[in-house]
Amino acid sequence: MNIAQHIALIDELCHRPFPAEHGPSDAGASGPGRHVAVLDAAADDDPARWGEVVDQLEKERDAVCELLASRWGDTPPYNLQTVLLRAEREEIPVPWRELSERASLAYVWDVEGTGRWVAVAVTDRDATQDVRLLAVVTETAPP
């Protein structure tokens, strides 16, 4: 998928109804109040290359975020590490808890007129898992 396709999918998810039950979708997974789309994924069994794979998808994330920022405004990185730490003491809503378990940071926008939030992140927490570029569209504000 290219950057234009990523943006088109994010746009579509901003208007797609949320399902009543959690389950797979054509883009990744969806559930009540959320869509999680896998924009890109890179599998590499060589642990020595894991950092390179993360860097590659971070560049792709940055390109997506640059286009989204031109539409919705610049946004600072949202530190998901603090969300993960807070999850030890308090209830963090889905999908933010799940995203904080998989990614260190996200870029987040409140998409005016839709009642939805968009987050774009790279799953960089676990070197034993495939690295993914995710887009999360949710009606739940970040904690």
Side-chain angles (χ1 to χ4, degrees):
M1 208 183 284
N2 64 37
I3 303 302
Q5 290 171 318
H6 297 338
I7 299 296
L9 178 58
I10 291 168
D11 285 341
E12 195 257 315
L13 293 176
C14 284
H15 300 285
R16 182 186 288 186
F18 295 116
E21 300 292 325
H22 182 74
S25 74
D26 61 327
S30 292
R34 68 190 179 282
H35 299 295
V36 179
V38 178
L39 300 178
D40 202 353
D44 193 321
D45 293 336
D46 182 359
R49 283 197 18 86
W50 186 82
E52 292 175 39
V53 172
V54 169
D55 287 344
Q56 171 192 341
L57 286 182
E58 285 176 343
K59 287 176 184 165
E60 192 171 345
R61 177 205 60 207
D62 293 347
V64 169
C65 291
E66 185 177 321
L67 287 174
L68 294 177
S70 71
R71 275 188 197 177
W72 300 328
D74 287 327
T75 182
Y78 186 74
N79 186 345
L80 294 170
Q81 176 66 31
T82 59
V83 175
L84 186 62
L85 292 171
R86 286 173 51 200
E88 295 173 7
R89 312 181 300 283
E90 63 185 272
E91 187 65 31
I92 301 295
V94 173
W96 301 106
R97 183 189 72 246
E98 293 169 349
L99 189 59
S100 74
E101 292 168 352
R102 300 172 70 190
S104 300
L105 68 87
Y107 289 87
V108 180
W109 292 268
D110 179 1
V111 185
E112 226 175 287
T114 66
R116 296 186 180 194
W117 294 82
V118 171
V120 179
V122 174
T123 60
D124 60 356
R125 283 218 187 268
D126 187 349
T128 65
Q129 299 289 318
D130 290 348
V131 183
R132 294 194 165 129
L133 174 60
L134 299 179
V136 176
V137 177
T138 180
E139 62 188 8
T140 305

